[in-house]
Amino acid sequence: MDQGEVIDNVFIALKWNGFYQVSRTAILLLSLVNNAFTAASVVFIGKAVNFNCRRLKSLSIKNVTYDLSLSNSNVPFLINYTECSVDVRNGSDLIFTSNCSDGYEYADSTTSSFVAEWDLVCDKESYSDISQGVVVLGEMFGCLSLTRFADRCGRKVTYIITSVMYFAANMLAAFSISFAYFLLFRFITGVFDACCQQLSYIMLIEMMPTTHRALPQKLSSFIWPISLMFLCLVAYLTRDLSWHFTHICLSMFAVHSIFLWWITDESIRWLCAVKRYKDVEKLIMKISRINHVDPADALEILRANGLSPYSIKLAQKTDSIAEVLISQAMLDTKSSNPDTRVSVFVKNKNLFKITAVAGYTWFTDSLSYHGLLFISPNLNEDFYLGFLLGVIIEIPATILFCLLIDRIGRKKCIMVFHVSGGIFILLSTFTLYSSIDDGLPGQYGIFLVLALLGRLSVTASFSAVLTFVPELFPTSVRNTGLGFSAASLYLGSTIAPHARTVSRHAPWAPNLVFGVLCLTVSMVIHFLPETSGQDLTQTVLEMDHRIQRRR
């Protein structure tokens, strides 16, 4: 019996779904709530605010200066204050124009959004979107640089440190005195947010028996939209207050990180992997006490399979011999196994094709999902109701995904959702913005139904792709393949926030792009093999043979 099976049996003996597991799962899932807030809070704290140029104090035309601060000043021209310029007309002729040299006047308080507070309008309009792109860059950096410490120092210590740092950086971002400081703290927030999210998921997976390992992903699929609903609720309740206060309220959802040392425990699987068997037995005693079960069976399973302090000396003697053999085998493998070389992704046509198609699919789904999330307030005249409608539809999307992903297969599921998503998104855009449909009875209702069905399809397709892509790569190159593909996912997430700026100037453009991209994915996905009901391939050669047999 290998170590994984032994630990599975220990979890079952300890009652894997007891109060200990339920409470720890709830604590770890709070990281997903914070992740959702970080991903979408810019929709509210960085919302666009109606504005115009502030009235000029003076105006110089043809060497004549007019004092505009006086209420009875006689100016023989018509002065028009627009959003980004001051236009002076003599009748119908434009004789002078300038930018808003005296600043801007906003319809709402300047603290209702950081856009208004720091004048991120006109030529700085895209800065709000860039702030979210900086978060994504931070997440990329965090995933690449910090998560490896969890394997060296342990899950618990790394998770607690990154959680506390996330809470601190998020709070500091709320007190930013300039946009530059805000960008800095948002980047740091992204770094630790990615680490918290990834580590919490790893700890959840390692806490479950193998037969129930899909449970955390299913729970996460429902927690995400619920978290976005909470985000909308907090933003709505604080809509008349400063964006700083809204940000502080959202940051407080991570205040539990201060107490994590006392309410979380190290992963039993990691403790066994590093042979800290005394700590394993202490943790088993704690779990059995909380779950009200007898620890004798779990301890006996460990001791019978050599995972206890009493067998560690024998294990060390055995390991000293095994390590020599394993190290030599690893050297031989590295010198002879072509799978360990990055160049295999270029030289092997099947692997290159999988990487390219998977990367394009992840880019499309990341861009489409996050783009639709950021422009969802446009679904209704009420800013908050529009966002809420877009989030609520994700719950039936998740249910539909769970029902179909194993019944009709990965490829069919992805094709159906992408085709339907592309069609619904394009039809909704055509319905609302085409002149052909002007005066159509119930035009807005038709648009709303089509747009929500499009959002449902994109959400379900994104979940299906996240399940499908890791199964495509052989075990020997899976991490590297996922790294290449994930780069395109982060690229899509970085570009997606700019859909807000584009939609203010061309409301039809983002949906047109998302719809076309979804339809193209349904065509290129034909080039990938089906993985549903199939064992994961171990080597590139095994992958080639499987693909060849299916032709």
Side-chain angles (χ1 to χ4, degrees):
M1 187 182 299
D2 62 30
Q3 190 178 95
E5 292 181 70
V6 173
I7 298 173
D8 282 351
N9 291 334
V10 169
F11 287 151
I12 294 171
L14 291 172
K15 192 177 179 182
W16 72 270
N17 57 350
F19 180 77
Y20 175 87
Q21 286 79 4
V22 172
S23 59
R24 269 51 180 184
T25 297
I27 293 168
L28 292 172
L29 284 175
L30 285 175
S31 293
L32 184 62
V33 176
N34 295 318
N35 180 251
F37 289 173
T38 303
S41 61
V42 71
V43 173
F44 301 102
I45 65 174
K47 64 183 178 182
V49 181
N50 293 329
F51 68 97
N52 283 307
C53 288
R54 183 175 286 119
R55 295 182 64 84
L56 300 176
K57 296 179 181 179
S58 62
L59 178 66
S60 297
I61 299 179
K62 297 180 180 181
N63 298 323
V64 178
T65 301
Y66 300 92
D67 188 356
L68 302 180
S69 61
L70 302 175
S71 59
N72 59 350
S73 59
N74 295 318
V75 181
F77 309 109
L78 176 64
I79 304 176
N80 186 27
Y81 296 93
T82 64
E83 286 189 343
C84 297
S85 66
V86 178
D87 300 330
V88 181
R89 295 181 179 274
N90 185 5
S92 60
D93 297 329
L94 179 65
I95 62 173
F96 178 80
T97 186
S98 72
N99 58 14
C100 303
S101 56
D102 286 354
Y104 306 91
E105 291 181 346
Y106 295 93
D108 296 329
S109 168
T110 55
T111 59
S112 63
S113 166
F114 67 73
V115 169
E117 180 170 340
W118 295 319
D119 290 335
L120 305 182
V121 294
C122 298
D123 57 333
K124 298 180 180 179
E125 183 181 12
S126 63
Y127 282 24
S128 174
D129 303 328
I130 291 173
S131 70
Q132 187 59 33
V134 167
V135 174
V136 178
L137 293 177
E139 292 175 344
M140 290 177 63
F141 179 81
C143 285
L144 294 174
S145 61
L146 296 183
T147 51
R148 69 186 67 179
F149 289 104
D151 291 329
R152 299 178 183 177
C153 307
R155 311 309 196 216
K156 178 180 177 177
V157 172
T158 309
Y159 177 64
I160 291 173
I161 292 175
T162 54
S163 295
V164 172
M165 293 301 294
Y166 166 82
F167 175 58
N170 218 16
M171 288 295 288
L172 288 172
F175 293 96
S176 299
I177 58 175
S178 69
F179 185 61
Y181 281 107
F182 182 70
L183 286 182
L184 173 63
F185 291 125
R186 288 289 280 176
F187 177 82
I188 298 173
T189 298
V191 171
F192 293 111
D193 174 55
C195 294
C196 293
Q197 172 60 17
Q198 187 165 334
L199 285 174
S200 66
Y201 188 74
I202 290 173
M203 293 172 75
L204 281 171
I205 291 293
E206 293 182 347
M207 192 169 59
M208 298 288 172
T210 302
T211 53
H212 299 283
R213 199 166 291 172
L215 183 59
Q217 178 59 42
K218 292 180 180 179
L219 290 174
S220 299
S221 299
F222 288 97
I223 292 295
W224 177 266
I226 293 173
S227 303
L228 293 177
M229 291 181 197
F230 270 110
L231 167 63
C232 186
L233 176 62
V234 173
Y236 179 78
L237 294 176
T238 59
R239 65 191 182 281
D240 296 325
L241 303 174
S242 167
W243 72 267
H244 297 276
F245 186 77
T246 302
H247 202 298
I248 291 171
C249 291
L250 296 174
S251 301
M252 290 303 293
F253 278 83
V255 72
H256 72 284
S257 60
I258 300 173
F259 309 100
L260 282 177
W261 183 263
W262 298 277
I263 58 178
T264 58
D265 296 297
E266 186 55 84
S267 166
I268 288 182
R269 294 183 188 273
W270 184 82
L271 289 173
C272 288
V274 296
K275 298 181 173 60
R276 288 169 50 179
Y277 298 130
K278 287 185 178 180
D279 292 330
V280 173
E281 293 195 352
K282 290 179 182 177
L283 185 52
I284 286 176
M285 296 297 292
K286 177 180 179 179
I287 296 173
S288 63
R289 184 175 67 254
I290 295 174
N291 285 351
H292 301 292
V293 297
D294 187 354
D297 292 341
L299 293 174
E300 180 59 31
I301 292 172
L302 282 178
R303 292 166 184 169
N305 290 275
L307 302 180
S308 69
Y310 305 104
S311 57
I312 193 169
K313 292 184 179 180
L314 177 60
Q316 287 175 343
K317 291 180 180 179
T318 306
D319 287 348
S320 63
I321 301 173
E323 284 173 2
V324 175
L325 298 175
I326 292 172
S327 61
Q328 183 62 45
M330 289 178 66
L331 290 173
D332 294 340
T333 302
K334 287 183 178 179
S335 61
S336 61
N337 184 7
D339 289 6
T340 60
R341 304 168 190 162
V342 176
S343 60
V344 72
F345 284 87
V346 178
K347 294 180 179 179
N348 186 284
K349 63 178 183 180
N350 288 324
L351 199 56
F352 178 81
K353 179 174 62 178
I354 288 174
T355 306
V357 175
Y360 178 73
T361 304
W362 260 5
F363 169 79
T364 296
D365 282 22
S366 178
L367 176 63
S368 301
Y369 173 79
H370 290 102
L372 290 173
L373 176 67
F374 288 127
I375 65 174
S376 57
N378 299 340
L379 291 174
N380 192 272
E381 292 181 356
D382 187 304
F383 186 86
Y384 300 93
L385 180 58
F387 183 86
L388 184 62
L389 288 173
V391 172
I392 289 175
I393 200 65
E394 292 193 17
I395 294 178
T398 301
I399 296 173
L400 195 61
F401 157 74
C402 292
L403 291 176
L404 294 180
I405 189 65
D406 292 320
R407 296 189 180 186
I408 66 173
R410 280 35 166 176
K411 281 181 64 174
K412 287 183 180 178
C413 195
I414 292 171
M415 284 188 285
V416 168
F417 285 134
H418 278 92
V419 169
S420 60
I423 292 174
F424 285 136
I425 291 172
L426 292 176
L427 284 178
S428 67
T429 305
F430 183 80
T431 300
L432 192 62
Y433 301 109
S434 173
S435 58
I436 298 176
D437 291 332
D438 287 347
L440 179 69
Q443 182 179 11
Y444 169 73
I446 296 173
F447 156 77
L448 183 61
V449 170
L450 292 172
L452 291 178
L453 288 174
R455 176 72 176 273
L456 180 149
S457 299
V458 168
T459 301
S461 65
F462 199 11
S463 299
V465 168
L466 290 174
T467 303
F468 181 52
V469 170
E471 298 175 345
L472 291 169
F473 293 100
T475 301
S476 58
V477 294
R478 184 166 293 122
N479 284 337
T480 307
L482 287 177
F484 288 146
S485 301
S488 61
L489 184 147
Y490 282 116
L491 178 62
S493 299
T494 305
I495 298 173
H498 294 276
R500 294 195 305 159
T501 299
V502 174
S503 67
R504 287 193 286 270
H505 299 279
W508 49 269
N511 280 350
L512 179 63
V513 173
F514 302 152
V516 171
L517 287 175
C518 285
L519 291 177
T520 57
V521 166
S522 64
M523 293 184 285
V524 299
I525 205 72
H526 283 286
F527 296 105
L528 298 182
E530 178 60 79
T531 61
S532 182
Q534 301 288 331
D535 294 333
L536 298 180
T537 56
Q538 299 300 312
T539 65
V540 174
L541 184 61
E542 184 180 341
M543 176 199 69
D544 287 336
H545 288 164
R546 180 174 294 182
I547 293 175
Q548 186 66 34
R549 286 197 302 270
R550 293 181 181 177
R551 289 178 179 174

